[in-house]
Amino acid sequence: DDGSTDNSLRVVQEFVTVNNLENRIKIFTCKNSGQANVRNLGIRESKGEFVAFLDADDLWSSTKLEIQKKALDQDLNLIAVVCPYFIFNNENAFRKLRLVKQYNFKKVVKHWALFIGFGAGLESNLLIRRDALIDLEMFDESFTTSAGLDLAIRINKLGRVGVAQGTNMAYRLSTNQWHKDLSELQKNASKIFIKHQNDLPGNSF
């Protein structure tokens, strides 16, 4: 909980208590430290073999993790797995449903870095081996809107990423999303280029 101002923390605390999940769900709170910082806190406190993220406004299918973990178990050379996903809007969600297919993670990251189409939906899509995430030094906390893209580029360099079968995540569009801040996007794009200029499309990417 990154200093939320609504009642989400109370809702989660009540859910954990009512369902006797104190031994399975841990809640950590901090004060407006930023998305990358909070995700890194979660990674550091995690104990499992795999790590997955889910943004508050996105949705998973009930079988997402099962399908992705099976893919990782079947190919030990994969360091992570993503899946195709739907994009929907709060208004007329089903009429505006759009499918983002992902067949090749390297191409997805290349297009993402060029700001062509949609990215990998990494912050709600990824299932990654925790050891690999630690080796990557987790999210770069100097980024705001593009921490996911930065991580995707580094994952792409570290090893192979698989694409699971089926559409198991839904990404929600809303008017107040952080990545729609054009000023922040420009700042982050410049930082991405400076940090990864030797790894971007046209070079060794």
Side-chain angles (χ1 to χ4, degrees):
D1 177 65
D2 188 26
S4 60
T5 57
D6 57 15
N7 67 339
S8 56
L9 178 58
R10 180 181 60 80
V11 170
V12 174
Q13 289 172 331
E14 290 180 355
F15 176 83
V16 170
T17 301
V18 169
N19 293 282
N20 297 316
L21 295 173
E22 289 85 353
N23 294 327
R24 297 187 61 190
I25 296 179
K26 297 181 180 181
I27 302 172
F28 301 95
T29 61
C30 49
K31 188 175 181 179
N32 294 325
S33 59
Q35 295 178 0
N37 305 57
V38 173
R39 290 188 179 110
N40 285 345
L41 170 62
I43 295 166
R44 287 191 293 269
E45 295 290 346
S46 66
K47 305 298 182 185
E49 183 181 353
F50 306 98
V51 175
F53 308 95
L54 177 60
D55 279 357
D57 52 353
D58 297 335
L59 304 172
W60 281 354
S61 75
S62 61
T63 56
K64 174 186 179 291
L65 294 179
E66 178 184 359
I67 291 169
Q68 289 180 306
K69 183 181 181 298
K70 183 177 180 180
L72 289 171
D73 289 342
Q74 290 176 338
D75 189 344
L76 298 181
N77 292 317
L78 295 178
I79 64 170
V81 175
V82 294
C83 60
Y85 64 95
F86 287 117
I87 295 177
F88 71 102
N89 195 301
N90 279 337
E91 300 178 4
N92 298 322
F94 294 104
R95 289 182 60 189
K96 297 183 178 180
L97 204 62
R98 176 171 181 176
L99 175 63
V100 179
K101 299 178 181 179
Q102 305 199 75
Y103 299 115
N104 184 304
F105 187 73
K106 287 184 178 293
K107 289 183 179 179
V108 169
V109 176
K110 180 182 289 188
H111 289 165
W112 193 2
L114 291 171
F115 293 93
I116 299 173
F118 293 94
L122 205 72
E123 290 89 338
S124 291
N125 199 342
L126 185 73
L127 179 66
I128 185 170
R129 300 186 193 277
R130 185 179 185 278
D131 289 345
L133 198 51
I134 297 299
D135 289 344
L136 288 164
E137 299 182 346
M138 304 180 288
F139 287 91
D140 185 335
E141 297 178 7
S142 69
F143 286 95
T144 53
T145 60
S146 299
L149 172 57
D150 168 71
L151 180 64
I153 294 172
R154 290 185 283 124
I155 290 173
N156 199 41
K157 292 175 60 180
L158 182 65
R160 289 176 51 226
V161 176
V163 179
Q165 297 294 318
T167 305
N168 295 289
M169 193 270 283
Y171 176 83
R172 187 193 310 266
L173 292 177
S174 58
T175 56
N176 60 346
Q177 284 173 314
W178 181 239
H179 73 269
K180 292 186 177 181
D181 186 324
L182 293 181
S183 175
E184 285 296 322
L185 276 175
Q186 289 174 339
K187 292 176 184 177
N188 278 248
S190 297
K191 291 177 66 174
I192 287 286
F193 178 77
I194 293 170
K195 181 176 180 178
H196 298 291
Q197 56 185 310
N198 295 323
D199 303 307
L200 291 174
N203 297 305
S204 60
F205 205 86

